[in-house]
Amino acid sequence: MAPAQEISPPDISPYAKGNTGCDYTHRFESGVPGPRVFISAIIHGNEICGAIALDYLLRHDIRPAKGCLTLCFANVAAYDTYDPAHPHTARFVDEDMNRLWSPHMLSGSRKSSEMNRARALLPLIRETDSLLDLHSMSEDCPALTLAGRRSKNLELALSLGQSPFVVRDDGHVAGKRLRDYEPFDHPESEKTALLVECGAHWKSKTADFAIQTALAFLDMHGMLSEEDAARLNFQPATGTPKVLDVTHTITTEGENFFFTRPVHSLECVPKSGTEIGVNGDHTVTTPYDNCYVIMPQPGALKGRTAARLARLVDQ
């Protein structure tokens, strides 16, 4: 049975041509010095909140007040396969596009639909100063901003302030995310990147959050004009996100991983040593009191991330 879907994928075919030499990618130059900002959506073709956000920006003729803005519909081939009756199957065509962003993979000889697209986008990514990658999640839980390990990206996430939680993590054993592409994750580079999980797939509030996050990202870079902010009734978020530091990433070792108790994303397990699952031939227990479980994936296949365990950071 297909999950309930409150939103539908917008028609993005009018944006196919683009103006960068790379289809479905649009660049707007302000003519005023400023950052080169890149907002990407549908790295996973079934996470349609990002497509809704970019369609919103394009339909409302948002133009940067300074610097340069690039809007990118990333994995259009997967997005085009979206079927409301089987929405999970549109995640990718050949492989997960958000595990390909390491130099040795991008410069290799292996080909796939997602790899070919990643290589086509790479020249634009290399020119970017600050990147926002919009995603959604399988579970209905508060939004998360994934900031990696570098202090520059944590500072950016806290300044953005949209999500109630910011997660410091190391990514996935299976491969690097776009957020983890080396210049964004290098301590000596000023380039920055965030991945925002806007909420549950196919919820209307998730699409609304993606739109507001995109506007907030432009605003924090000085790119959203006062006129556009007023026209769209944009209101910056208030409050300070909580920071969660991932201490353990559980990667499936056997044929699959399974939880031995109900576990929900951002659940705080109060006691150390609480059994939560089985991974291969051993049990998985919480390593400390007040352990947060982040984005659990029941039945995760071998080599994939089954869950991340984190502690709350004092701020």
Side-chain angles (χ1 to χ4, degrees):
M1 182 177 178
Q5 295 158 65
E6 300 173 0
I7 53 177
S8 300
D11 178 13
I12 63 172
S13 60
Y15 311 127
K17 186 175 181 180
N19 63 351
T20 66
C22 190
D23 60 359
Y24 288 96
T25 306
H26 294 257
R27 172 171 289 174
F28 304 103
E29 298 274 3
S30 68
V32 178
R36 303 182 73 82
V37 167
F38 191 103
I39 303 180
S40 54
I42 56 172
I43 284 274
H44 296 134
N46 64 332
E47 298 180 9
I48 63 177
C49 68
I52 291 172
L54 295 196
D55 175 58
Y56 181 91
L57 297 182
L58 290 163
R59 284 190 295 104
H60 287 86
D61 296 318
I62 296 298
R63 300 293 183 266
K66 67 177 183 179
C68 171
L69 172 62
T70 301
L71 304 177
C72 174
F73 299 92
N75 195 350
V76 180
Y79 182 81
D80 283 346
T81 70
Y82 189 89
D83 178 356
H86 307 282
H88 292 288
T89 62
R91 182 175 173 85
F92 55 79
V93 176
D94 296 321
E95 59 181 327
D96 192 330
M97 192 176 176
N98 217 27
R99 303 291 183 270
L100 305 180
W101 298 92
S102 62
H104 79 276
M105 294 187 75
L106 291 166
S107 62
S109 58
R110 183 167 58 81
K111 296 181 180 180
S112 70
S113 176
E114 281 75 18
M115 183 66 79
N116 295 344
R117 180 62 169 168
R119 289 174 180 143
L121 294 174
L122 190 56
L124 301 175
I125 300 297
R126 285 173 172 158
E127 296 173 355
T128 298
D129 295 319
S130 191
L131 179 139
L132 172 65
D133 191 20
L134 297 169
H135 288 256
S136 59
M137 300 176 281
S138 57
E139 189 172 357
D140 191 4
C141 72
L144 300 168
T145 297
L146 304 181
R149 287 293 179 190
R150 304 300 176 193
S151 59
K152 60 180 181 178
N153 292 311
L154 175 60
E155 292 169 5
L156 183 70
L158 292 174
S159 296
L160 180 62
Q162 289 294 111
S163 305
F165 291 91
V166 171
V167 177
R168 298 180 62 205
D169 72 324
D170 296 304
H172 302 276
V173 172
K176 288 186 177 293
R177 303 164 297 194
L178 174 57
R179 196 233 69 76
D180 305 319
Y181 181 61
E182 186 174 6
F184 304 130
D185 207 42
H186 196 286
E188 297 179 6
S189 169
E190 294 183 355
K191 294 175 180 286
T192 55
L194 300 175
L195 186 163
V196 177
E197 300 280 2
C198 297
H201 304 319
W202 318 309
K203 291 279 190 178
S204 59
K205 66 180 180 181
T206 301
D208 293 340
F209 187 87
I211 292 168
Q212 291 303 307
T213 299
L215 291 173
F217 198 72
L218 297 179
D219 185 55
M220 72 177 297
H221 286 92
M223 303 178 82
L224 186 67
S225 70
E226 292 183 4
E227 293 78 12
D228 282 340
R231 175 167 63 96
L232 302 177
N233 195 29
F234 168 69
Q235 300 292 329
T238 59
T240 302
K242 295 179 180 179
V243 177
L244 297 174
D245 185 67
V246 172
T247 60
H248 297 71
T249 298
I250 303 169
T251 303
T252 303
E253 297 174 3
E255 290 305 312
N256 57 39
F257 173 97
F258 64 91
F259 291 98
T260 54
R261 63 184 289 275
V263 176
H264 302 286
S265 189
L266 293 175
E267 176 182 352
C268 182
V269 182
K271 294 295 183 182
S272 171
T274 301
E275 180 180 316
I276 60 171
V278 173
N279 191 14
D281 60 0
H282 63 273
T283 59
V284 176
T285 60
T286 51
Y288 38 77
D289 291 348
N290 299 319
C291 178
Y292 284 80
V293 182
I294 298 175
M295 296 178 69
Q297 301 294 323
L301 300 177
K302 186 175 182 178
R304 306 288 178 85
T305 300
R308 284 160 277 196
L309 306 180
R311 54 164 45 107
L312 188 66
V313 175
D314 291 332
Q315 294 170 258

